[in-house]
Amino acid sequence: VTMADDNDATVGGTLYPNYTDDEATFSSFIDEHEILTSYRDRSSDIEYLREPGTSYYRVNCYSPLLQRIKNRQYYNPEKRVFTVEVPLDELVSWDGVRGEELSKRAIQNTSRYISLFSKVIDGKLDSMEITNNNNGNDNSNGGVGY
């Protein structure tokens, strides 16, 4: 085994990605990726930063969704499933180097990277506390699906 660069290992001339580094990159993306929204929920404790010169707010993309999953606040109580969408173009926009490399590897080995992304999200959910912002919706009987 030889190291071709910081992200890959070579075994017998074949290049293999460093999944530990890819996991760390994806974890950073989940923590740091922000989106613009015009909606502001004044009853939540989400930190909103106004985008200069616009009527939009910059918010973390994934933490509100992950908190909702942790609290089991289903969008549709009959389906009791959550979907965490990871647009690869947003991964590239977030970091033009690390994000682009990670998105290419995710396209080339989708099954492996779905597992890796799920592992990161599960770890984040495990580290979160359940909040009491259920607004009377106790959906604690169902499982969470990705």
Side-chain angles (χ1 to χ4, degrees):
V1 175
T2 60
M3 297 308 289
D5 64 27
D6 290 342
N7 293 321
D8 301 308
T10 303
V11 178
T14 304
L15 203 59
Y16 291 94
N18 183 327
Y19 293 118
T20 302
D21 287 349
D22 286 348
E23 189 175 322
T25 298
F26 184 67
S27 181
S28 294
F29 170 73
I30 293 294
D31 290 340
E32 298 169 8
H33 182 55
E34 295 179 331
I35 59 172
L36 293 177
T37 181
S38 61
Y39 175 74
R40 182 175 181 182
D41 182 357
R42 298 188 189 281
S43 66
S44 79
D45 57 356
I46 297 173
E47 182 178 335
Y48 291 88
L49 300 173
R50 188 181 268 300
E51 187 67 10
T54 72
S55 60
Y56 293 104
Y57 298 95
R58 184 170 292 282
V59 296
N60 183 281
C61 181
Y62 291 100
S63 64
L65 175 59
L66 295 180
Q67 188 62 60
R68 192 174 180 105
I69 292 170
K70 185 69 175 184
N71 292 345
R72 296 187 181 202
Q73 291 175 289
Y74 302 100
Y75 290 103
N76 182 342
E78 294 165 9
K79 292 190 179 177
R80 300 170 83 101
V81 172
F82 285 100
T83 301
V84 177
E85 185 177 332
V86 181
L88 296 180
D89 60 336
E90 289 188 26
L91 190 59
V92 173
S93 296
W94 166 75
D95 186 312
V97 176
R98 295 183 304 157
E100 184 169 1
E101 291 172 0
L102 181 57
S103 70
K104 286 179 183 177
R105 287 192 289 274
I107 290 168
Q108 293 169 347
N109 193 353
T110 304
S111 296
R112 171 71 174 145
Y113 281 85
I114 287 173
S115 296
L116 186 137
F117 292 174
S118 296
K119 178 181 175 184
V120 169
I121 290 168
D122 286 343
K124 301 241 178 251
L125 289 169
D126 289 343
S127 69
M128 296 174 80
E129 298 288 327
I130 294 173
T131 62
N132 292 326
N133 294 338
N134 284 342
N135 297 327
N137 297 329
D138 181 14
N139 295 320
S140 59
N141 296 342
V144 176
Y146 297 107

